[in-house]
Amino acid sequence: MADQRKSIIKTISVTLQDLAKMIDVSLLHPTMTDEAILEGLHQARKYGMATACVKPYSIPVAVRELEGTTVLVCPVIGFPHGNSTTKVKVFEAIEAVDAGGREIDMVINVGKALGGDWDYVEDEIRQINEAVTKRDAILKVIFENDYLSDKHIIKLCEICSRIKPAFIKTSTGYGFVKQADGSYNYTGATMAQLQLMREHVDPAVQIKAAGGIRSLDDLLRVRAIGVTRVGATAGPTMILGAIQRGIGETPKEVQVEITGKLGGGY
């Protein structure tokens, strides 16, 4: 879906910690070795990010490496395609929390959403949210917008407004769509879809953008429209960019051009 909204300039006030605590460092690529995951955890710790987003088997090492910091452990479940049964997703969520996960990112059943089986979709989100929140953790619900139209996104926002998970999230970063030439690609978060989600979900539900947030400018753009968390592999690059622009411990006003296109990629 192409972004059609007019670009505007907005002034926002930020600190370095504000920006760091927007970032879930993504350590999810299937080719990541234990060594690479460990390096990512050290980066999350060094820069004081919000969370390290990890595959479930990495929870114990993440808990160990982040102990004594404010960086939380964020496992994914039903990831990346959301095709497990509800029972399996609930079990996986409980196991992840019991192992030390404080924030859980789950993927909806996209096929059920596209097929209009909204009762199934809503019941699944509700069951997982209840399982997670009963254990003092929070849930982020991944829509996987690359597969959805605006009407699907709006319906999911309405469902999540009733259930009130902590966050709704645009993408996994792995929602590849087959192109006309036979290749696969994805868009990830777009400004238009983020604004659509903010407009249609209850204000109590926060928004996480993933896929396409590659630079400090991207981070500032989404913050300016009300996004409070991003998932990205480029977190350290964003923080170093902020330092270079003089963003530090005291609030600094920055002008943000809200454009229709984000950087692309995860």
Side-chain angles (χ1 to χ4, degrees), residues 3 8 10 54 59 72 77 96 100 102 125 132-133 149 171-172 188-189 256 258 265:
D3 290 318
I8 60 173
K10 187 172 182 179
V54 299
I59 298 171
L72 302 180
I77 66 162
R102 305 317 309 153
I125 295 171
V132 167
T133 55
S149 68
S171 319
T172 63
V256 182
I258 302 175

Side-chain angles (χ1 to χ4, degrees), residues 190-204:
T190 68
M191 292 294 283
Q193 288 181 340
L194 289 167
Q195 288 170 314
L196 185 73
M197 292 165 77
R198 186 65 282 164
E199 289 168 8
H200 289 278
V201 79
D202 188 282

Side-chain angles (χ1 to χ4, degrees), residues 25-72:
V25 178
S26 175
L27 305 175
L28 299 172
H29 197 279
T31 64
M32 288 193 80
T33 63
D34 290 350
E35 183 180 5
I37 291 168
L38 193 62
E39 174 60 24
L41 292 170
H42 292 166
Q43 293 288 310
R45 180 175 184 139
K46 176 179 179 180
Y47 294 110
M49 311 278 186
T51 78
C53 205
V54 299
K55 295 172 278 190
Y57 75 85
S58 299
I59 298 171
V61 68
V63 170
R64 184 191 72 213
E65 294 299 321
L66 299 175
E67 184 178 4
T69 76
T70 61
V71 183
L72 302 180

Side-chain angles (χ1 to χ4, degrees), residues 122-162:
E122 182 162 358
D123 178 66
E124 180 173 87
I125 295 171
R126 189 181 304 279
Q127 285 195 47
I128 298 168
N129 190 59
E130 288 177 356
V132 167
T133 55
K134 282 180 181 178
R135 291 163 175 80
D136 297 321
I138 66 170
L139 183 69
K140 306 191 199 89
V141 179
I142 305 173
F143 290 4
E144 201 65 288
N145 286 349
D146 272 71
Y147 297 138
L148 307 176
S149 68
D150 284 0
K151 70 177 183 180
H152 299 119
I153 294 170
I154 291 170
K155 183 66 176 180
L156 286 165
C157 286
E158 291 170 351
I159 287 171
C160 289
S161 292
R162 291 191 289 271

Side-chain angles (χ1 to χ4, degrees), residues 67-132:
E67 184 178 4
T69 76
T70 61
V71 183
L72 302 180
V73 178
C74 175
V76 294
I77 66 162
F79 192 92
H81 299 307
N83 293 328
S84 301
T85 64
T86 299
K87 184 176 181 180
V88 168
K89 286 183 181 178
V90 170
F91 173 80
E92 193 176 10
I94 292 171
E95 287 286 296
V97 174
D98 288 349
R102 305 317 309 153
E103 300 187 2
I104 304 297
D105 284 21
M106 65 152 284
V107 186
I108 68 159
N109 187 309
V110 177
K112 288 289 189 180
L114 291 173
D117 193 348
W118 296 113
D119 288 342
Y120 183 102
V121 173
E122 182 162 358
D123 178 66
E124 180 173 87
I125 295 171
R126 189 181 304 279
Q127 285 195 47
I128 298 168
N129 190 59
E130 288 177 356
V132 167

